[in-house]
Amino acid sequence: MSKEVRVRYAPSPTGHLHIGNARTALFNYLFARNQNGKFIIRIEDTDQKRNIEGGEESQLRYLKWLGIDWDESIDIGGEYGPYRQSERTEIYEKYTDELLEKGAAYYCYCTEEELEKEREEQTENGQMPRYSGKCRNLTEEQQKELAAEGRKPSIRFRVPTGTVVKFNDIVKGEVVFESDGIGDYVIVKKDGTPTYNYAVAIDDHLMEMTHVLRGDDHISNTPKQIMIYNALGWEPPVFGHMTLIVNESRRKLSKRDESIIQFIEQYKELGYLPEALFNFITMLGWSPVGEEEIFSKEQFIEIFDPARLSKSPALFDTNKLRWMNNQYMKQLDLDEVVDLSLPHLVKAGRVEEQMTEEQTKWVKELIALYQEQMSYGAEIVELTEMFFKTEIEYNEEAKAVLAEEQVPEVLQAFATEIEAMETFSPEEIKAATKAVQKATGHKGKKLFMPIRVATTGETHGPELPKAISLLGKATVLARLAKVSG
């Protein structure tokens, strides 16, 4: 085994980059960079029926978007290639022949119907379904007879009986499996395709992987892979199985769970920042020393320690993600915030794609107004709704404000001040509000709340003089007249 740390992320091109897979890639990447090792991306595409067009390219594109780079893969090559399983068939065949010669594997001629019947009978008898070993000791003559019937064989691994498979997991400590509970498993399908557990074990050895960090759902695969290592006289890598990601109901994150956005592509489209997602995902099931939660990629590389991977499920807290993205949004240059937000206003039909210089200036000021509170780019549509409404519907809280006895006096005085203005700037509006305070004697909430509600329709919002200025004089006067009338 190579002394240099070598780890991999091995997606199947069956879909887009999921949060769980992104976390696996991130942890492997951070570990490799922390150890001055190598991070490899291998494409596990043997299940051709499930592969989707563009799946490979999508995985790589969104890993790059997150800020992850790699040392070897299909796009940059490397001395351990090919990096697609579908291009490694001859490699697997060599080891299949070796296992068959050793008697560590055998041909199985059982049909799917026979296997299904066997599983049903075992379930009815209260047994855990597993292969009975029916073809385990077929003679050469019996094999020929079954082949003459037109049966195509699969190849099964001969699981040693009465043995124990142990390994020390980085996250879970010592893990023990009894071989008698596993049953002989298929390593090569009837069509000659290697199965996942078989191909992975061979690839991880030949690509000299020192560590395999992956999700908890793979832990039952580990003894099968270790058995392949043992049968071929190889040393297994160090394994680490990260705990599941759960939703706010503490249930395993399922791709059917619509309460959580789960694909990296969707976050990019919504105007989230890759640096924020990198930060958030790294904290899903891993924790640094101390209370700090905001880190740069470089800081994560420096402090990443797999010993700090959590033993408890990682909670996907959507509000935490929004908070974290907001922390990053606040630090951006306004032009970058505009780039993230403007496409969403265009898509919603709020503004034109091609704007005059004056319109562009107005939109930029509008977005600037919400930079401090914006969690992600697409949120600008909801936040700025009051600027594009012709009619305002007041909620109960707003109606209660407008029902206060001083409101007509305040709004009439404010409208008079507005009408007299020559320039409609935030500074002038601020001065007008002070003039109303002086003229009416009302101050604080009694003054500001009626003006806010009448002009914006909201009881909370951004800096009021700026908001009123961006609404425009005609709109403000029309809204004040409607409330007063």
Side-chain angles (χ1 to χ4, degrees), residues 184-233:
D184 297 350
Y185 53 93
V186 174
I187 57 172
V188 180
K189 298 175 189 174
K190 293 179 193 292
D191 64 2
T193 307
T195 58
Y196 168 77
N197 283 310
Y198 184 47
V200 162
I202 292 172
D203 290 342
D204 283 345
H205 172 73
L206 295 181
M207 292 182 179
E208 298 192 18
M209 297 302 156
T210 58
H211 299 74
V212 172
L213 303 179
R214 57 190 178 189
D216 207 13
D217 49 339
H218 281 287
I219 199 156
S220 60
N221 291 322
T222 307
K224 295 178 181 179
Q225 292 165 22
I226 289 174
M227 286 177 190
I228 300 290
Y229 271 84
N230 292 342
L232 292 166

Side-chain angles (χ1 to χ4, degrees), residues 163-169 174-178 223 226 230 236:
T163 62
V164 167
V165 179
K166 287 184 189 176
F167 61 95
N168 268 314
D169 191 281
E174 187 176 72
V175 180
V176 180
F177 284 90
E178 291 184 9
I226 289 174
N230 292 342

Side-chain angles (χ1 to χ4, degrees), residues 24-268:
T24 298
L26 263 176
F27 286 167
N28 279 283
Y29 167 76
L30 290 171
F31 181 51
R33 295 291 175 259
N34 174 272
Q35 297 292 313
N36 294 313
K38 294 287 193 295
F39 175 55
I40 293 93
I41 294 184
R42 184 176 71 223
I43 304 295
E44 297 185 346
D45 62 344
T46 52
D47 193 346
Q48 296 290 328
K49 289 175 190 169
R50 292 183 62 230
N51 295 345
I52 66 163
E53 192 176 342
E56 265 183 23
E57 192 265 336
S58 176
Q59 288 275 338
L60 299 184
R61 187 191 329 146
Y62 289 102
L63 286 172
K64 280 178 187 168
W65 179 77
L66 273 175
I68 297 174
D69 58 273
W70 44 90
D71 302 292
E72 301 166 29
S73 189
I74 56 170
D75 57 338
I76 52 177
E79 58 186 283
Y80 295 86
Y83 294 92
R84 272 189 201 92
Q85 283 189 337
S86 58
E87 295 170 8
R88 297 173 64 82
T89 308
E90 288 180 15
I91 297 170
Y92 306 132
E93 285 172 356
K94 173 190 166 187
Y95 292 103
T96 304
D97 291 342
E98 186 179 329
L99 291 173
L100 286 166
E101 281 171 30
K102 284 182 173 179
Y106 61 90
Y107 291 105
C108 172
Y109 291 87
C110 294
T111 64
E112 263 312 310
E113 291 74 25
E114 288 169 340
L115 293 169
E116 183 56 37
K117 189 181 175 191
E118 193 176 83
R119 285 191 289 267
E120 284 173 4
E121 286 173 359
Q122 287 171 334
T123 303
E124 282 172 17
N125 294 331
Q127 299 169 308
M128 180 71 79
R130 65 187 182 93
Y131 182 59
S132 64
K134 190 175 175 182
C135 294
R136 207 170 207 249
N137 299 305
L138 292 177
T139 63
E140 203 171 320
E141 194 178 326
Q142 287 171 318
Q143 286 183 30
K144 283 178 183 173
E145 284 174 13
L146 290 166
E149 291 176 20
R151 294 183 182 224
K152 280 191 174 178
S154 58
I155 299 173
R156 286 184 184 270
F157 184 80
R158 193 186 298 274
V159 174
T161 55
T163 62
V164 167
V165 179
K166 287 184 189 176
F167 61 95
N168 268 314
D169 191 281
I170 292 173
V171 181
K172 298 177 176 298
E174 187 176 72
V175 180
V176 180
F177 284 90
E178 291 184 9
S179 65
D180 291 350
I182 293 171
D184 297 350
Y185 53 93
V186 174
I187 57 172
V188 180
K189 298 175 189 174
K190 293 179 193 292
D191 64 2
T193 307
T195 58
Y196 168 77
N197 283 310
Y198 184 47
V200 162
I202 292 172
D203 290 342
D204 283 345
H205 172 73
L206 295 181
M207 292 182 179
E208 298 192 18
M209 297 302 156
T210 58
H211 299 74
V212 172
L213 303 179
R214 57 190 178 189
D216 207 13
D217 49 339
H218 281 287
I219 199 156
S220 60
N221 291 322
T222 307
K224 295 178 181 179
Q225 292 165 22
I226 289 174
M227 286 177 190
I228 300 290
Y229 271 84
N230 292 342
L232 292 166
W234 298 338
E235 182 189 344
V238 176
F239 291 96
H241 290 87
M242 298 165 280
T243 55
L244 298 171
I245 301 174
V246 295
N247 63 18
E248 284 162 21
S249 304
R250 305 278 169 181
R251 291 187 179 149
K252 179 187 171 184
L253 202 60
S254 151
K255 289 180 184 175
R256 291 185 296 276
D257 183 351
E258 293 180 3
S259 67
I260 291 173
I261 298 165
Q262 298 193 32
F263 295 95
I264 302 302
E265 183 177 352
Q266 292 171 294
Y267 284 103
K268 181 179 184 292

